[in-house]
Amino acid sequence: MTDLLRAEGVEKQFAARGGGMFAPHQRLMAVAGVDLELNPGETLGIAGESGCGKSTVARLLTGLIPLSGGRVTYQGRDLAALSRAEMALFRREVQMIFQDPFSSLNPRMRVSEILAEPMVIHGIGTEAQRRDRVDFLMNRVGLLPEQLSRFPHEFSGGQRQRIGIARALAVSPKLIIADEPVSALDLSIQAQIINLLQEVKRELGLGFLFITHDLSVLRHVSDRIAIMYLGRIVESGSAEEVLEHPRHPYTEALLAAIPSVDPKKRRKHAAPKGEIPSPLAPPSGCPFHPRCPYAEERCRVERPDLVEKDRPGHRAACHFSEKLPR
Amino acid sequence: MSGYYKDFWRRFLNNRLAAAGLLLVIVLFVLSVFAPWITPFNPDRIDAWHVLLPPSGTHWFGTDELGRDVFTRVVFGAQVSLKVGFVAVGIAVVVGTVIGLVAGFYGGWVDSLLMRLVDIMLCFPTFFLILAVIAMLEPSIWYIMMIIGLTGWMGVARLVRAEVLSLKGRDFVLAARVLGASDLRIIFRHILPNALSPVLVSATLGVAGAILTESALSFLGIGVQPPTPSWGNILTAGKDYIEFAWWLSLFPGLAILVTVLSYNLVGEGIRDALDPRQKK
């Protein structure tokens, strides 16, 4: 089976302005060599703290910003080498859902226009067919076709996110990249939106890339999980493996940060200490060592590679994975 | 009508000064459009028997040195002023918006080049530039409109550029990109409609400025040429008789004052109504 989307050694550098007007520009390594693959119909969750490069990865995978290194392939073809027509097809088959439902919809367009626009851009259907499709989409995401003539500000956050989902579904994509799709919503609304995403994913057999800082959300939606730290993937594997038997201390710390209702389960793992280091001056060796409870001298000098640990397909970038409780 | 515009109107009309300004603007508009039906006199008809008459029931604003009815000339002058105001500002808005959109959207050296052009244009003392250019051309109302417009777009360009820069990174613009929308579609469907509110304010204030500039040019004799009436050239004629015929200067002067004031009030009213945060 050929993969839908694959990233190989993807890098992104930003130029950060130095202190003064004439200070040299510093280089900020937002994404420092990420390998990912996503198979058709599969959900890959990417998790990590704010600033770890998750959203940059999303923008790189959709070709919104140029790569500084590595390559992204869609159905085996390099994104950078796509012809105009192939690019148009990629733009049709890969859609995005955004974090902030208050900024992801054009405030000057009616919902009917927002939902019809993807089809207009790709020249799909007649006007009447598009109108039918828009009605169908509204129903599908749990909104009323009567609300089509309204403007985005007349909806609540959860409803706006439903509109964003409907827009992504309008052109029947094969892959949806959701960048923190529920982080801006109330907890009760989060569950509804996640259920909706799960339903449409199953109905349409979509590939899903789900980016979040909230591991408890990923537990429900992902087949596989990749954990990012300072622009690198530090652990990846099946959702169950990664969440039940983390092989990287950072994953363990993230899991410990999830509030639990079961007092026996609390404080089993070490809570994360300190703040994420500045990506302008990443630590030497293993980027996690200043915050790691297991760190030894070796971690300060040698950066661990992402290698398979005791289960097939479960990889972690840690010298001392065996120290973590199984 | 959606709630957005309803709110805007409610806030605008709750501002008494802005509402009064809008009323005056509408009255001026009606007067100038229906000028020939509003007054029984011809603005150009010379009447040697009724020279320099003070205001009366027949001649509300009196008559001038050639016996023409001053009220009629002020009303016809409003036509000229409004035409100059709107056309000049129209030119400034179109030029400024296009330059601001291109500079903000494409960035890089295109942006640097266009913004330095703005800086250079802003260095000229506009009024003297206009004087110099008019001196080389024949004075005509069309040249005046064009020159006022072509020297007044820089503020609009800066406003639009700033709006574009902030809109460019918004998620709905990224969403349009992910959907494969063309640059033109993104600029005209997604960015421009969201960048226009500050332009509306600037344009309304600009109308007042353009009317003032036209009056000043006509007053100096290089704007609208007599016998076509304009507030500026009525004032010029009036200054020779100001000691014994005050009405010749007072009424066109008041017309300029009221018009400029009302456009400024409307402009500020729109600005306040567009930004509810400023309201207490």
Side-chain angles (χ1 to χ4, degrees):
Chain A
M1 184 165 60
T2 129
D3 40 40
L4 197 55
L5 191 73
R6 172 187 284 273
E8 290 166 11
V10 161
E11 286 179 12
K12 183 64 190 179
Q13 269 181 18
F14 291 110
R17 208 169 246 272
M21 191 174 170
F22 298 104
H25 283 201
Q26 287 172 291
R27 288 175 313 155
L28 187 153
M29 214 44 170
V31 178
V34 161
D35 300 305
L36 286 173
E37 63 192 62
L38 183 72
N39 297 315
E42 180 187 50
T43 299
L44 172 65
I46 300 183
E49 281 165 297
S50 355
C52 73
K54 310 177 298 258
S55 295
T56 309
V57 166
R59 282 164 176 48
L60 289 170
L61 292 179
T62 47
L64 277 179
I65 51 177
L67 298 167
S68 310
R71 61 182 211 137
V72 176
T73 61
Y74 176 68
Q75 295 183 324
R77 317 260 336 237
D78 192 336
L79 271 199
L82 292 185
S83 69
R84 246 185 121 80
E86 288 171 323
M87 195 62 200
L89 192 65
F90 175 76
R91 286 273 171 255
R92 180 176 162 178
E93 293 184 348
V94 179
Q95 293 301 323
M96 235 179 130
I97 297 171
F98 293 86
Q99 170 172 12
D100 181 1
F102 287 89
S103 113
S104 60
L105 306 176
N106 185 339
R108 295 296 162 98
M109 282 166 79
R110 295 174 193 279
V111 176
S112 53
E113 297 171 289
I114 291 175
L115 294 185
E117 189 178 34
M119 295 181 269
V120 174
I121 290 172
H122 292 284
I124 298 169
T126 63
E127 211 177 314
Q129 288 169 327
R130 289 201 286 261
R131 221 170 305 141
D132 286 347
R133 175 92 179 136
V134 166
D135 283 351
F136 166 80
L137 290 167
M138 282 296 268
N139 281 320
R140 183 62 203 86
V141 298
L143 294 170
L144 301 170
E146 289 87 273
Q147 299 169 317
L148 275 171
S149 60
R150 297 200 190 162
F151 285 90
H153 72 269
E154 298 173 72
F155 293 89
S156 69
Q159 287 174 320
R160 285 163 152 251
Q161 202 59 304
R162 287 173 192 271
I163 296 167
I165 293 168
R167 174 177 60 189
L169 295 176
V171 285
S172 315
K174 291 186 177 168
L175 168 63
I176 289 188
I177 297 180
D179 184 5
E180 303 263 16
V182 297
S183 311
L185 305 175
D186 288 348
L187 214 55
S188 56
I189 311 291
Q190 281 193 5
Q192 294 175 13
I193 296 294
I194 286 174
N195 288 340
L196 173 64
L197 287 175
Q198 291 284 83
E199 282 167 32
V200 297
K201 189 212 132 172
R202 233 172 290 130
E203 271 170 40
L204 305 171
L206 294 174
F208 231 97
L209 195 68
F210 201 103
I211 296 174
T212 179
H213 63 269
D214 188 349
L215 279 179
S216 57
V217 168
L218 278 193
R219 191 188 295 272
H220 298 291
V221 298
S222 339
D223 303 314
R224 284 189 305 121
I225 289 181
I227 308 285
M228 275 188 79
Y229 187 74
L230 275 181
R232 286 192 170 79
I233 291 179
V234 294
E235 179 162 6
S236 68
S238 74
E240 202 195 326
E241 270 290 309
V242 171
L243 295 175
E244 298 307 324
H245 309 290
R247 295 291 88 196
H248 195 285
Y250 179 60
T251 314
E252 187 185 42
L254 284 181
L255 286 168
I258 301 174
S260 169
V261 282
D262 181 355
K264 273 176 260 167
K265 275 197 172 172
R266 281 181 205 164
R267 303 263 164 232
K268 187 175 106 189
H269 304 288
K273 59 178 185 183
E275 302 228 332
I276 191 164
S278 163
L280 278 170
S284 62
C286 171
F288 190 60
H289 85 254
R291 303 170 73 186
C292 180
Y294 308 99
E296 290 182 18
E297 188 50 37
R298 185 180 171 201
C299 304
R300 266 177 276 280
V301 285
E302 188 189 337
R303 200 179 71 227
D305 288 329
L306 189 64
V307 292
E308 203 154 278
K309 301 292 175 182
D310 33 283
R311 298 280 163 84
H314 188 177
R315 295 187 291 176
C318 181
H319 294 305
F320 301 108
S321 288
E322 67 279 3
K323 284 202 206 167
L324 272 68
R326 254 247 65 125
Chain B
M1 191 145 77
S2 91
Y4 184 84
Y5 296 103
K6 237 184 267 170
D7 270 14
F8 170 81
W9 273 109
R10 191 179 46 74
R11 282 197 300 270
F12 183 86
L13 295 176
N14 271 346
N15 180 346
R16 296 248 173 94
L17 282 175
L22 182 66
L23 187 69
L24 282 170
V25 164
I26 292 170
V27 167
L28 280 162
F29 208 79
V30 170
L31 278 181
S32 66
V33 170
F34 296 101
W37 293 278
I38 280 167
T39 120
F41 301 98
N42 180 321
D44 299 331
R45 210 202 56 195
I46 295 171
D47 182 351
W49 300 109
H50 299 97
V51 167
L52 296 177
L53 294 178
S56 67
T58 340
H59 298 290
W60 295 352
F61 290 0
T63 60
D64 69 2
E65 77 280 8
L66 297 175
R68 297 173 295 196
D69 180 53
V70 175
F71 176 72
T72 305
R73 288 182 68 76
V74 167
V75 167
F76 276 85
Q79 276 186 347
V80 172
S81 294
L82 292 187
K83 197 153 71 177
V84 170
F86 277 94
V87 175
V89 166
I91 294 172
V93 164
V94 170
V95 173
T97 304
V98 169
I99 290 189
L101 278 174
V102 171
F105 190 78
Y106 290 102
W109 65 267
V110 178
D111 183 27
S112 304
L113 195 76
L114 291 172
M115 286 303 110
R116 292 304 79 73
L117 180 66
V118 166
D119 293 342
I120 292 168
M121 287 294 291
L122 284 170
C123 287
F124 285 113
T126 312
F127 198 76
F128 293 99
L129 180 68
I130 295 173
L131 284 181
V133 175
I134 299 265
M136 288 186 284
L137 303 163
E138 285 166 53
S140 109
I141 184 170
W142 295 105
Y143 283 134
I144 300 213
M145 293 183 211
M146 274 170 57
I147 291 166
I148 295 177
L150 291 176
T151 52
W153 54 267
M154 294 82 75
V156 175
R158 282 189 166 172
L159 276 176
V160 171
R161 174 179 173 269
E163 286 290 311
V164 173
L165 286 181
S166 86
L167 289 167
K168 202 162 69 158
R170 296 272 291 279
D171 284 348
F172 67 83
V173 174
L174 288 183
R177 277 192 194 289
V178 171
L179 284 168
S182 62
D183 281 2
L184 279 182
R185 183 177 193 92
I186 291 175
I187 291 176
F188 287 107
R189 291 280 289 164
H190 295 280
I191 291 183
L192 187 58
N194 287 290
L196 279 182
S197 313
V199 174
L200 183 63
V201 175
S202 159
T204 315
L205 299 176
V207 170
I211 288 173
L212 267 184
T213 308
E214 181 274 324
S215 300
L217 288 172
S218 299
F219 181 78
L220 294 175
I222 55 173
V224 176
Q225 297 300 302
T228 308
S230 126
W231 295 338
N233 67 28
I234 303 172
L235 270 176
T236 316
K239 76 178 190 315
D240 297 334
Y241 303 93
I242 198 161
E243 287 155 55
F244 45 91
W246 50 268
W247 54 90
L248 256 176
S249 305
L250 179 73
F251 292 111
L254 272 182
I256 295 172
L257 177 82
V258 168
T259 309
V260 171
L261 184 67
S262 45
Y263 275 98
N264 280 331
L265 290 176
V266 170
E268 279 164 22
I270 296 173
R271 181 172 59 207
D272 293 345
L274 282 174
D275 186 1
R277 280 162 303 177
Q278 281 187 348
K279 283 267 168 202
K280 11 276 113 178

